[in-house]
Amino acid sequence: MTDLLPKPAVKPARPFFSSGPCAKPPGWSPSKLALGSLGRSHRSKLARARLAHAIALTRHVLRVPVDHRIAIVPASDTGAVEMALWGLLGPKPVTLLAWESFGEGWVTDAVKQLKLEATVLRADYGQLPDLDAVDPASDVVFTWNGTTSGVRVPNGDWIADDRAGLTICDATSAAFATDLPWDKIDVATYSWQKVLGGEGGHGMLILGPRAVERLEGHVPAWPMPKIFRLTKSGALIEGVFKGETINTPSMLAVEDYIWALEWAELQGGLAALIARADANAAALSDWVGRTGWIAHLAADPATRSNTSLCLKFAGDAAKLDEAGQRALAKRIEELLELEGAAYDVAGYRDAPPGLRVWCGATVDTDDIEALGPWLDWAFHEAIQGQD
Ligand SMILES: Cc1ncc(COP(=O)(O)O)c(C=O)c1O
């Protein structure tokens, strides 16, 4: 079908392109982490100070306003989203937006588990639902950046300033890569393992004043496990937002997150992180533009993610059936891993077959530029096997 290509001379220096856990920041090493809080009680003065420091740095880097509270919670981004859904939904109509696997997961929670009569606005992989169809009288649950399709909302302009409902935003692939409009966001969540290349296990829950008001004035109709409870006797448990975590955190993961936040500050903060992700995404898009066998899954460049770039096959490769395309993507991934040239570049299991390359701030643009020729090489090797 196609000729083999010679192996490219230069490999990405750091071949880490996974969409989660994502590449560690450049220069990271376990030996650089502060370990004084390990082996100590997480309620000790020292550990609480480190947890509070992680929260303060988060606020500074993400420019979270003072009236929004920030908590470190269990179970990564999923835990943070579940806490928000279980604790807040119920009193108002709910609109859920889903255009890829994770958004669809939150639909399942609200509709099948909480049994809410929700309005679900869906779109196929590669597209966004009609954001103007969102009723501002309802609570709205959405993913800012759909990691498995590479489609993100272009901005927050579709969210009404005078909304009656709450906006609950899964921002896990967007935080630290987008200037999130905090006045439009009542709840945001993310996990450390994404744009800052931290560890899994803990999530961040950011609550605006309207979300706190809801929490304090509403008793969910369903049981609330201890791990989800943010109020006691109708009042917010303020300690959770000062580093007094609900249960025991991994202080090693906390120290790793602090290191990544300090790295982010040294780069120049949020603007620098966004610029790094944008440069990486542009470098990958340049290669896509020059390459006949691959195309972006996100149809509209205005809704294209700058972190998880999802690619579909084009040309003759797109004529293979779905199983053939999945096998092709897997083979490309395997070949690149064997060469140590790139790890974890196959698309998500529930997404259309193709490739996915993480372009967040912890990836270096030189490595994205070096990746393109290797993807070409692996494609030409792998497609031979499909003939
Ligand atoms: C948009 C989105 N939401 C939620 C999750 C789940 O994150 P975690 O495994 O950190 O709970 C992911 C993970 O990739 C994601 O991309």
Side-chain angles (χ1 to χ4, degrees):
M1 199 188 252
T2 51
D3 293 333
L4 291 176
L5 296 180
K7 269 185 206 169
V10 182
K11 282 185 191 163
R14 295 191 310 135
F16 300 100
F17 302 104
S18 154
S19 292
C22 300
K24 292 291 190 193
W28 179 91
S29 148
S31 65
K32 293 188 180 166
L33 305 184
L35 299 180
S37 64
L38 271 64
R40 297 287 313 272
S41 164
H42 62 294
R43 309 281 182 214
S44 67
K45 211 171 151 191
L46 171 63
R48 271 192 294 135
R50 297 304 283 168
L51 288 156
H53 184 49
I55 291 173
L57 278 173
T58 299
R59 185 180 298 286
H60 193 244
V61 176
L62 286 181
R63 303 182 194 146
V64 178
V66 285
D67 64 356
H68 280 53
R69 290 170 172 83
I70 304 175
I72 296 169
V73 300
S76 219
D77 180 63
T78 309
V81 176
E82 306 283 24
M83 280 177 96
L85 301 186
W86 258 250
L88 293 164
L89 295 186
K92 284 209 181 289
V94 186
T95 303
L96 295 134
L97 304 182
W99 60 91
E100 50 81 64
S101 176
F102 286 103
E104 203 53 61
W106 310 140
V107 173
T108 301
D109 273 17
V111 174
K112 294 218 172 107
Q113 299 296 322
L114 300 181
K115 308 204 183 317
L116 294 168
E117 286 210 11
T119 303
V120 183
L121 302 176
R122 286 193 169 88
D124 283 342
Y125 277 84
Q127 313 281 334
L128 265 187
D130 180 7
L131 301 177
D132 293 332
V134 172
D135 178 0
S138 74
D139 294 334
V140 54
V141 181
F142 71 104
T143 302
W144 192 280
N145 188 345
T147 320
T148 66
S149 74
V151 173
R152 63 174 172 180
V153 295
N155 51 50
D157 295 356
W158 53 281
I159 300 170
D161 289 330
D162 60 352
R163 61 194 177 279
L166 298 178
T167 50
I168 300 176
C169 172
D170 171 0
T172 205
S173 286
F176 303 104
T178 301
D179 202 359
L180 293 166
W182 292 108
D183 56 330
K184 306 273 189 173
I185 295 178
D186 299 308
V187 180
T189 68
Y190 66 88
S191 54
W192 297 343
Q193 48 105 356
K194 279 283 189 301
V195 184
L196 283 192
E199 293 300 299
H202 296 289
M204 298 303 279
L205 179 68
I206 303 181
L207 299 180
R210 299 174 66 247
V212 172
E213 199 185 309
R214 169 79 62 83
L215 275 174
E216 292 187 327
H218 158 70
V219 179
W222 38 78
M224 288 286 285
K226 172 178 175 180
I227 216 84
F228 287 175
R229 289 200 296 267
L230 289 167
T231 57
K232 194 170 178 192
S233 313
L236 194 72
I237 308 172
E238 291 285 357
V240 173
F241 301 90
K242 297 185 178 122
E244 293 161 25
T245 48
I246 296 172
N247 65 335
T248 314
S250 158
M251 291 309 296
L252 185 56
V254 170
E255 291 299 346
D256 181 74
Y257 177 54
I258 290 174
W259 195 91
L261 287 163
E262 288 171 348
W263 170 83
E265 296 263 42
L266 283 175
Q267 301 313 299
L270 183 62
L273 299 181
I274 295 172
R276 283 178 64 91
D278 285 349
N280 289 340
L284 192 75
S285 289
D286 284 350
W287 170 77
V288 172
R290 296 193 298 271
T291 307
W293 58 267
I294 201 86
H296 283 287
L297 184 57
D300 177 359
T303 68
R304 204 170 279 159
S305 167
N306 63 347
T307 54
S308 61
L309 269 70
C310 296
L311 308 174
K312 59 182 180 185
F313 292 114
D316 285 345
K319 295 180 191 149
L320 296 168
D321 63 12
E322 186 179 331
Q325 292 188 42
R326 283 202 190 281
L328 180 60
K330 266 282 149 224
R331 186 70 192 131
I332 292 172
E333 182 175 69
E334 282 164 8
L335 285 166
L336 292 171
E337 177 156 0
L338 278 173
E339 293 292 332
Y343 300 136
D344 310 320
V345 296
Y348 191 73
R349 57 179 185 267
D350 297 336
L355 303 177
R356 183 169 61 158
V357 177
W358 184 257
C359 289
T362 56
V363 175
D364 286 315
T365 308
D366 286 353
D367 288 341
I368 296 283
E369 283 166 354
L371 174 66
W374 278 97
L375 290 171
D376 275 326
W377 170 80
F379 169 77
H380 285 86
E381 292 281 324
I383 199 83
Q384 300 292 323
Q386 303 278 337
D387 286 346

